[in-house]
Amino acid sequence: MINLKLKKQKLNSKEIMIEIMEDIEKINLGRFNKKYPVSKTQCTNAITVSIKQTCKRLGIELDCEVPLQFSEKLKKQYDKKYGGIVDFIVTPTVGPKVAIELDSKNKRLSYAKLEELTKRGYICYWLRYKINKTGRPYKSFYKADCSEHYRKLGFDNTDVRIIEHIFHPTPSKPLC
């Protein structure tokens, strides 16, 4: 008899993020350019579905759009009465919970939420994505440390890990 229950793998936050990013790298949005654009909503939805599928495949718990109660400092700074939403909370089988914010722009509030969550013991990732409309090949940034660029822009909390993904159009002809 086949056991249909998913077996939980013992993965820490870094191993989970590698699995998530490798699956995101496989997303194919098709051929797009200025004439046939792809929207930010399409990209966000594709990444969301990919993260859900990865966590399901790994047998780990994932919560989406989790309410977050802000500290008094954050409420005052961003003129919020209560709090906000964290895009994803992943519960690894080993180690602390992982918070992921997904953005296509440099949103100070998203980053501030992650800074707050690091103080609460979460391991935090800011997953930034861009859309390459030029067709020029760029290297994948999730494997390299792209945080130096963002640190220069004022996102300087080293406890918040910054990962970048670039969506590339599928070429109509092979590149080789």
Side-chain angles (χ1 to χ4, degrees), residues 1-171:
M1 181 177 200
I2 299 172
N3 185 0
L4 297 177
K5 263 191 164 180
L6 290 174
K7 184 180 178 185
K8 281 192 175 186
Q9 296 185 31
K10 294 191 182 230
L11 299 172
N12 63 30
S13 61
K14 185 176 181 178
E15 294 165 331
I16 290 169
M17 285 308 297
I18 288 170
E19 291 285 332
I20 286 173
M21 291 310 298
E22 284 179 355
D23 287 349
I24 288 172
E25 284 286 311
K26 295 174 189 170
I27 294 172
N28 182 351
L29 295 176
R31 187 167 180 255
F32 58 87
N33 53 33
K34 289 178 184 174
K35 188 175 178 181
Y36 301 104
V38 63
S39 71
K40 290 178 186 178
T41 303
Q42 287 172 299
C43 294
T44 300
N45 291 342
I47 291 173
T48 299
V49 167
S50 179
I51 290 173
K52 287 177 180 180
Q53 289 173 345
T54 302
C55 290
K56 184 177 181 179
R57 177 177 55 83
L58 297 174
I60 54 177
E61 185 180 334
L62 173 71
D63 295 310
C64 302
E65 298 187 359
V66 179
L68 167 67
Q69 191 71 351
F70 285 175
S71 67
E72 291 304 317
K73 179 185 173 192
L74 208 56
K75 286 179 193 176
K76 193 174 192 178
Q77 185 178 354
Y78 289 96
D79 196 28
K80 300 282 185 181
K81 289 187 178 186
Y82 306 105
I85 302 286
V86 178
D87 293 333
F88 306 99
I89 299 290
V90 180
T91 306
T93 51
V94 179
K97 290 185 178 188
V98 178
I100 304 170
E101 275 291 307
L102 175 62
D103 287 313
S104 63
K105 293 183 179 180
N106 293 337
K107 295 182 181 174
R108 296 274 175 199
L109 179 57
S110 292
Y111 191 77
K113 286 189 273 186
L114 293 174
E115 286 182 308
E116 177 128 337
L117 286 170
T118 60
K119 294 174 187 172
R120 297 180 189 181
Y122 287 78
I123 298 191
C124 297
Y125 289 90
W126 193 25
L127 175 51
R128 297 268 295 108
Y129 72 86
K130 297 178 181 180
I131 304 168
N132 174 8
K133 295 176 184 169
T134 66
R136 283 186 233 129
Y138 292 99
K139 68 177 185 173
S140 177
F141 286 102
Y142 87 90
K143 293 179 182 175
D145 184 12
C146 64
S147 56
E148 187 64 34
H149 166 74
Y150 291 98
R151 305 287 179 234
K152 290 176 186 174
L153 298 174
F155 302 102
D156 54 5
N157 185 329
T158 56
D159 291 331
V160 177
R161 293 145 180 92
I162 304 169
I163 298 175
E164 196 170 83
H165 173 73
I166 300 174
F167 281 102
H168 297 283
T170 303

